[in-house]
Amino acid sequence: LPTSLGEIISWRRNMEHCGFTRTRYGSISISSYPTGQIGLLLAEKDAYAASDYPSILTRYRNMVKAGKKTTYYHPPLQKGCFLLPLWVHDTIYGEEDSSDLLCKTNEIYLTKES
């Protein structure tokens, strides 16, 4: 894993040199993938244009109401994929302000009324 973390750090630097203002590492579980886990880097050129969590919830609720619910995705997964063990977070981000990893969240949860 340490060599993978070094590559993540290197890729993040490369993305910054290409003009991306924010790059974040995430990890998702995929049962059909041989190791069951896939790492990803999400890069944004305008981090402030990102959707806030209430907007993400609204889009998801509209998908569900339209009969397009998925068996995998739900909004907490989108937030959770960026949660890393502290030592991994510290290795990748160091002293960088990573408070944006909370996806501009307000603590709003899915309810049965939605």
Side-chain angles (χ1 to χ4, degrees):
L1 190 59
T3 56
S4 295
L5 291 176
E7 291 300 314
I8 292 166
I9 293 165
S10 175
W11 274 101
R12 288 188 72 234
R13 285 187 190 128
N14 288 338
M15 292 171 142
E16 289 168 4
H17 290 303
C18 290
F20 292 98
T21 59
R22 179 170 66 179
T23 57
R24 296 294 179 236
Y25 177 76
S27 176
I28 55 175
S29 299
I30 304 287
S31 60
S32 60
Y33 191 69
T35 64
Q37 184 272 336
I38 295 177
L40 59 103
L41 278 171
L42 176 70
E44 299 169 284
K45 288 198 173 185
D46 183 5
Y48 295 100
S51 296
D52 61 12
Y53 199 63
S55 298
I56 292 167
L57 284 172
T58 299
R59 275 198 311 270
Y60 179 73
R61 289 176 178 145
N62 289 338
M63 285 173 45
V64 171
K65 286 178 186 174
K68 298 179 181 177
K69 182 179 178 180
T70 71
T71 58
Y72 186 82
Y73 175 80
H74 61 110
L77 178 70
Q78 185 168 335
K79 277 187 1 183
C81 76
F82 296 101
L83 298 176
L84 303 169
L86 185 57
W87 69 272
V88 175
H89 179 277
D90 289 348
T91 301
I92 293 172
Y93 301 110
E95 297 298 318
E96 177 183 337
D97 177 13
S98 59
S99 59
D100 62 312
L101 291 174
L102 297 177
C103 302
K104 298 183 196 174
T105 184
N106 295 329
E107 290 306 318
I108 297 173
Y109 298 99
L110 294 174
T111 62
K112 290 187 178 184
E113 299 89 57
S114 56

